[in-house]
Amino acid sequence: MQQTASGLFVEPLDSAARRHAASGLYRDVFGYADSAHAVSPRLLRALLDHGGSALGAYDGDGAMLGFCYGFSAVDGDGVYHYSQAVAVHERARGLGVGRALKLAQAEVARSAGARSMRWAFDPTLTRNTHFNLGVLGAKVTAFHPAYYGEPGSDRAIARWTLDHTSHQVEREAAAAAADRSQRAAD
């Protein structure tokens, strides 16, 4: 169990109950009713056992606030980690849950030998664009109209180098959490 500076716990989805909760959260966050858009709890288990990531973020009472999953991949630049999704419960947005999940996922990626992470995101969602580019410091490397073969699925591909950039994000997250704690104490 890894507690973040903001008091969250980020842990692997190491039980069937956690994986099923993540699958349900994914459907709720993204509003998916069609089973074609579901996240399989079995896939999450396989990712944990074979170089991927499947992590949940929990509050002090053990309630799941968000989760992420991804997998190791290889191209001409070497090993990288592809972050397929990060889902954060509506009530937990703005609390650092997404950041805590990305940082924990970066640790999983580093341990598998990855030097970077990549993911697709909707660049028209300004909050996500700010987080990916402004907060994490990722760079856009490509743009794909109708990435998923459906209208409204235009996506930018982000690349986040897992070196000093992510360590800087970790330091800033710890400083922000300390600042919030200090303000709460005052």
Side-chain angles (χ1 to χ4, degrees), residues 6 8 24-32 57 59 64-67 86-101 125 127-128 131 180:
S6 58
L8 301 170
L25 179 64
Y26 183 82
R27 286 190 310 276
D28 291 346
V29 166
F30 295 109
Y32 294 142
D59 66 15
M64 180 180 279
L65 301 176
F67 88 101
V86 174
V88 177
H89 194 286
E90 184 177 352
R91 77 175 191 280
R93 293 191 185 137
L95 300 178
V97 174
R99 182 187 313 221
L101 286 165
L125 299 175
R127 184 179 181 115
N128 288 346
F131 175 72
R180 282 192 300 275

Side-chain angles (χ1 to χ4, degrees), residues 4-5 7 12 42 58 61 73 77 80 87 90 112 117 120 122 125 129 132 150 152 154-155 157 159 161 171 186:
T4 69
R42 290 180 176 197
Y58 303 89
D61 295 328
D77 293 331
Y80 65 94
E90 184 177 352
M117 283 177 51
D122 182 346
L125 299 175
T129 300
N132 291 324
E150 303 164 353
D154 296 351
R155 295 295 183 266
I157 304 300
R159 183 177 191 275
T161 302
R171 287 191 298 275
D186 291 341

Side-chain angles (χ1 to χ4, degrees), residues 95-114:
L95 300 178
V97 174
R99 182 187 313 221
L101 286 165
K102 278 290 193 201
L103 293 174
Q105 194 173 42
E107 287 304 314
V108 170
R110 283 187 198 102
S111 70

Side-chain angles (χ1 to χ4, degrees), residues 130-145:
H130 168 72
F131 175 72
N132 291 324
L133 307 182
V135 174
L136 293 178
K139 306 291 184 216
V140 172
T141 59
F143 178 77
H144 299 282

Side-chain angles (χ1 to χ4, degrees), residues 2-20:
Q2 175 187 359
Q3 185 172 15
T4 69
S6 58
L8 301 170
F9 294 89
V10 178
E11 302 174 336
L13 300 176
D14 58 2
S15 71
R18 284 183 168 187
R19 292 186 293 274
H20 282 277

